[in-house]
Amino acid sequence: MHGMPMGPSNGLGTASLVLGIVAAVGFCLWPVALACGILAVVFGAIGRGRARRGQATNAGQALAGIICGAVGVALGIAFLVVFLVLPDTEIDDSGSGDDGFSTSLTAVG
C-alpha cells in the first residue's frame, strides 16, 4: 500500500517573505524591524537550502524574504542612528543664541 507523496514544504520561504515585508515596512519600530529582519534572513536562507535540495518549490519567495529582511535591518539601524544616536542639533531662528535666560545677577536698589 502506497501513501500519498509528501508535498513541498514551503513554510519557511513564506514566513521569510512575510517577516521581511514587516521588517521593511515597519522600520520606524526599529526593534521589531531588527528582530523580524534577522528572522527573515535566517528563514530565507534555510528555505533557499530546502529549495535547492528539492524539498520546497518557493526559492523566489525565500530570496525575496532575504532581500526584504536585509533592507528592513538596514533601515532599522539607519533609523536608530539618525534619530536616537546622533546629537540633537536645535536651530535657533533668531541667530543671537539667546535663550531668554540671563546668567548675570543684577542688584536693584
Side-chain angles (χ1 to χ4, degrees):
M1 168 100 36
H2 295 288
M4 294 289 293
M6 293 295 294
S9 175
N10 290 329
L12 286 175
T14 304
S16 173
L17 180 60
V18 170
L19 288 170
I21 291 171
V22 168
V25 172
F27 71 92
C28 292
L29 301 171
W30 61 269
V32 174
L34 292 178
C36 288
I38 291 169
L39 287 174
V41 170
V42 170
F43 290 167
I46 296 170
R48 292 272 299 170
R50 285 188 180 178
R52 266 188 250 116
R53 290 189 304 271
Q55 297 172 337
T57 59
N58 63 345
Q61 280 185 345
L63 178 61
I66 291 170
I67 293 168
C68 289
V71 168
V73 168
L75 288 173
I77 290 172
F79 186 84
L80 175 69
V81 168
V82 169
F83 290 107
L84 295 179
V85 175
L86 290 179
D88 184 24
T89 56
E90 192 172 313
I91 299 173
D92 188 13
D93 290 336
S94 67
S96 67
D98 183 17
D99 61 358
F101 295 101
S102 175
T103 56
S104 58
L105 183 64
T106 57
V108 179

